């Protein structure tokens, strides 16, 4: 590559991510664009354009501050939202290079205000601190809780993967996405995923922006799309499983970042196992192992008694991120979800976007509703793995955490108010709708 860490004339930027033996979506930390400082960003701007360079820098300051220095992500998000409001724009991508320079200066002040010291500008020191932070995230409360809920035992810790960066935020010929080689909700043998033009990976998985479906990529980057489809077939046949894949397109060139066995619902697990036997990918014995005990438990979850009966009570429609029916009382924090669940109450966890810290509350809730984030965001992936009903990216709702209210059009739902979710259609329904026992059909009867 001929690039060097800390060299402004030939800048090397790195990603630092975990590599645990068992997939734990969103529970471990990642740092992107490592190696940037004031000198290196000037070199990157001269080489690849100012807007791209300062966009990468502000992302790095935010992620490094949050993951490595323990500064709340919301402090950086606040600066970004204020700047967009001041400049009269809605999307991050509408900010100019000079706007992003302003944001970088403000983000550096966040370090001073929160930590009383400057952002660490030496790239080698940044790398040392980031590696340590990823190791430490193995023992974070959310990772410990996730392993406990999923009965993951016997692992000593995580590895740390350090890779050279590729960039999805280099303009309209670049982008990033997450996909599953089959539909993780239904098991249908069709690519399922999302894509964002001019973005970096965390924008998709963290649910910061609500992405578009894969056809966007097919239309604007046909060659990269075709290559990615071929790669999916190769990976699925090699690993003999449905795969969860992260990828980036940099100036029309495709890069596959990572893949792991995909989380799926009970219904999805049964269909995928049956189809893979019929396609000659796995034998009967392997197929049986692909369906876990909790998958069978999910198949026994109730559904709505009569979906046509509640049509007049539908107040919003989001993305059907994880199927099933959920009825519960609205809460606005993961801690409250756990506390109310412990009292025997059924709850719906409502968030603007979920973060991995919400894992305990997500497990305690009957259903999850988010205003932002797509069907491959952490909330959606984790919910599907647990068979939790989830509606994500519901842009019609406004969540006010401070006052603990949910506003949808002219409806104001306070904490404790009843809400029903249909995770198969994305419908958000007012009130407590009746449920009926599940009915088995199709592959489940075979």
């Amino acid at each position: 590559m001929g690039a060097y860490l800390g060299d402004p004339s030939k800048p090397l930027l790195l990603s630092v991510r975990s590599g645990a033996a068992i997939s734990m979506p969103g529970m471990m930390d990642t740092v992107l664009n490592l190696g940037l400082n004031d000198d290196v960003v000037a070199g990157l701007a001269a080489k690849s354009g100012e807007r791209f360079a300062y966009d990468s820098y502000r992302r790095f300051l935010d992620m490094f501050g949050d993951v490595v220095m323990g500064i709340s992500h919301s402090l950086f998000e606040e600066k970004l939202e204020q700047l967009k409001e001041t400049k009269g724009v809605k999307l991050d991508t509408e900010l100019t290079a000079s706007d992003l320079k302003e944001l970088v200066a403000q983000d550096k002040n966040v370090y001073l205000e929160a930590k009383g010291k400057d952002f660490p500008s030496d790239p080698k020191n940044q790398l040392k601190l980031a590696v340590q932070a990823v190791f430490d995230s193995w023992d974070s409360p959310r990772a410990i809780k996730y392993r406990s809920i999923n009965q993951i035992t016997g692992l000593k810790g995580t590895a740390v993967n350090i890779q050279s960066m590729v960039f999805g935020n280099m303009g309209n010929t670049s982008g990033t996405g997450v996909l599953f080689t089959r539909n993780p909700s239904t098991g249908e043998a069709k690519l399922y995923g999302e894509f964002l033009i001019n973005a970096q990976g965390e924008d998709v998985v963290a649910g910061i922006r609500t992405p578009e479906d894969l056809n966007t990529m097919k239309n604007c980057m046909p060659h990269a799309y075709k290559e990615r489809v071929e790669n999916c077939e190769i990976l699925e046949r090699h690993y003999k499983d449905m795969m969860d894949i992260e990828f980036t397109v940099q100036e029309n060139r495709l890069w596959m970042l990572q893949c792991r066995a995909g989380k799926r619902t009970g219904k999805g697990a049964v269909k995928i196992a049956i189809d893979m036997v019929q396609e000659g990918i796995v034998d009967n014995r392997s197929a049986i192992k692909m369906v876990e005990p909790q998958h069978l438990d999910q198949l026994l979850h109730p559904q709505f008694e009569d979906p046509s009966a509640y049509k007049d009570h539908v107040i919003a429609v989001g993305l059907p991120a994880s199927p099933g029916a959920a009825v519960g009382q609205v809460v606005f924090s993961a801690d409250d979800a756990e506390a109310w669940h412990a009292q025997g109450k059924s709850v719906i966890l409502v968030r603007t976007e979920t973060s991995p810290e919400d894992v305990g509350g997500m497990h305690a809730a009957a259903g999850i509703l988010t205003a932002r984030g797509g069907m491959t965001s952490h909330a959606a992936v984790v919910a599907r793995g647990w068979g939790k009903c989830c509606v994500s990216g519901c842009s019609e709702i406004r969540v006010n955490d401070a006052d603990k209210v949910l506003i949808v059009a002219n409806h104001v739902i306070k904490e404790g108010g009843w809400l029903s979710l249909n995770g198969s259609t994305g419908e958000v329904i007012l009130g407590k709708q009746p449920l009926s026992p599940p009915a088995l059909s199709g592959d489940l009867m075979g």
Side-chain angles (χ1 to χ4, degrees):
M1 284 180 70
Y4 303 91
L5 191 63
D7 183 342
S9 61
K10 295 172 184 170
L12 172 66
L13 301 187
L14 301 172
S15 70
V16 182
R17 42 166 64 90
S18 68
I22 291 176
S23 167
M24 296 165 52
M27 297 305 118
M28 307 294 287
D29 285 322
T30 298
V31 181
L32 304 179
N33 307 325
L34 187 138
L36 282 170
N37 58 26
D38 291 354
D39 296 333
V40 173
V41 78
L44 188 65
K47 198 167 172 260
S48 306
E50 269 204 323
R51 196 198 175 283
F52 157 69
Y54 283 92
D55 183 49
S56 300
Y57 197 10
R58 66 95 184 169
R59 289 166 182 277
F60 173 54
L61 286 164
D62 178 347
M63 210 177 282
F64 190 86
D66 177 28
V67 170
V68 181
M69 307 298 289
I71 302 168
S72 171
H73 164 65
S74 63
L75 296 175
F76 296 103
E77 190 70 11
E78 219 170 83
K79 301 287 182 200
L80 175 62
E81 292 305 320
Q82 281 169 4
L83 183 68
K84 287 197 295 195
E85 206 170 295
T86 308
K87 303 292 177 185
V89 300
K90 277 192 170 179
L91 304 172
D92 308 0
T93 47
E94 294 174 285
L95 293 169
T96 64
S98 63
D99 295 340
L100 293 165
K101 278 184 187 176
E102 260 180 69
L103 185 58
V104 162
Q106 290 177 24
D107 282 351
K108 283 203 241 163
N109 275 338
V110 170
Y111 280 77
L112 267 175
E113 289 161 13
K115 289 289 168 186
K117 56 185 177 186
D118 288 328
F119 155 73
S121 60
D122 173 29
K124 285 183 181 156
N125 189 33
Q126 292 171 2
L127 181 57
K128 192 174 128 196
L129 292 168
V131 167
Q132 192 55 55
V134 175
F135 277 137
D136 289 347
S137 69
W138 178 260
D139 289 318
S140 65
R142 67 181 190 230
I144 290 168
K145 184 154 264 177
Y146 185 89
R147 289 197 296 277
S148 156
I149 290 167
N150 290 284
Q151 297 170 350
I152 298 170
T153 56
L155 294 182
K156 298 270 193 294
T158 183
V160 175
N161 297 325
I162 299 170
Q163 293 170 294
S164 167
M165 281 293 298
V166 285
F167 299 96
N169 59 327
M170 288 188 90
N172 290 337
T173 59
S174 304
T176 189
V178 176
L179 69 87
F180 293 78
T181 54
R182 297 175 190 236
N183 186 315
S185 293
T186 64
E188 185 189 357
K190 184 181 168 193
L191 293 182
Y192 172 100
E194 294 170 318
F195 185 69
L196 267 175
I197 291 175
N198 198 11
Q200 285 197 317
E202 283 299 296
D203 294 354
V204 180
V205 293
I208 293 164
R209 280 167 61 185
T210 301
E212 302 173 63
D213 72 19
L214 291 174
N215 286 332
T216 306
M217 182 182 176
K218 189 177 184 178
N219 298 335
C220 61
M221 300 169 193
H223 296 300
Y225 180 86
K226 184 171 175 284
E227 188 187 344
R228 201 210 53 215
V229 170
E230 289 163 6
N231 288 350
C232 287
E233 286 171 19
I234 293 165
L235 287 166
E236 198 175 81
R237 290 198 168 266
H238 175 76
Y239 287 107
K240 300 185 185 306
D241 205 346
M242 183 269 276
M243 304 307 293
D244 168 356
I245 297 165
E246 291 181 29
F247 65 93
T248 285
V249 178
Q250 178 178 314
E251 298 180 313
N252 285 319
R253 186 171 176 193
L254 174 70
W255 299 85
M256 307 293 277
L257 303 183
Q258 63 176 7
C259 73
R260 55 193 172 202
K263 303 287 178 198
R264 65 210 69 179
T265 63
K267 185 180 177 185
V270 172
K271 179 157 177 58
I272 289 165
I274 291 169
D275 284 355
M276 284 194 162
V277 169
Q278 290 169 351
E279 291 163 30
I281 296 173
V282 299
D283 57 22
N284 285 350
R285 194 181 177 85
S286 304
I288 288 165
K289 289 181 186 168
M290 289 167 79
V291 182
E292 297 166 7
Q294 66 265 32
H295 286 144
L296 297 175
D297 175 51
Q298 287 173 31
L299 297 173
L300 305 175
H301 285 190
Q303 301 295 322
F304 286 115
E305 215 167 72
D306 179 10
S308 60
Y310 64 62
K311 290 298 174 195
D312 293 343
H313 300 284
V314 174
I315 53 171
V317 179
L319 299 171
S322 183
V327 178
Q329 292 174 274
V330 169
V331 294
F332 295 91
S333 77
D335 289 345
D336 287 343
E338 290 189 71
W340 287 43
H341 176 71
Q343 294 165 23
K345 294 176 180 173
S346 176
V347 298
I348 303 286
L349 176 61
V350 179
R351 307 284 279 140
T352 299
E353 62 194 36
T354 69
S355 89
E357 273 74 21
D358 294 335
V359 61
M362 287 166 67
H363 190 253
I368 301 149
L369 171 64
T370 72
R372 285 207 292 254
M375 298 199 286
T376 54
S377 63
H378 289 147
V381 171
V382 171
R384 273 194 299 271
W386 288 335
K388 294 274 172 197
C389 169
C390 176
V391 174
S392 65
C394 187
S395 55
E396 299 162 62
I397 70 171
R398 292 283 167 273
V399 183
N400 183 332
D401 289 324
D403 297 337
K404 295 191 175 184
V405 292
L406 167 66
I407 300 156
V408 193
N410 55 352
H411 300 282
V412 177
I413 300 148
K414 295 179 180 167
E415 182 180 61
W418 285 88
L419 207 59
S420 303
L421 301 178
N422 186 331
S424 307
T425 61
E427 291 167 312
V428 180
I429 310 134
L430 205 56
K432 190 176 177 180
Q433 302 301 325
L435 296 170
S436 67
L440 298 183
S441 60
D443 290 315
L444 308 178
M445 301 294 285

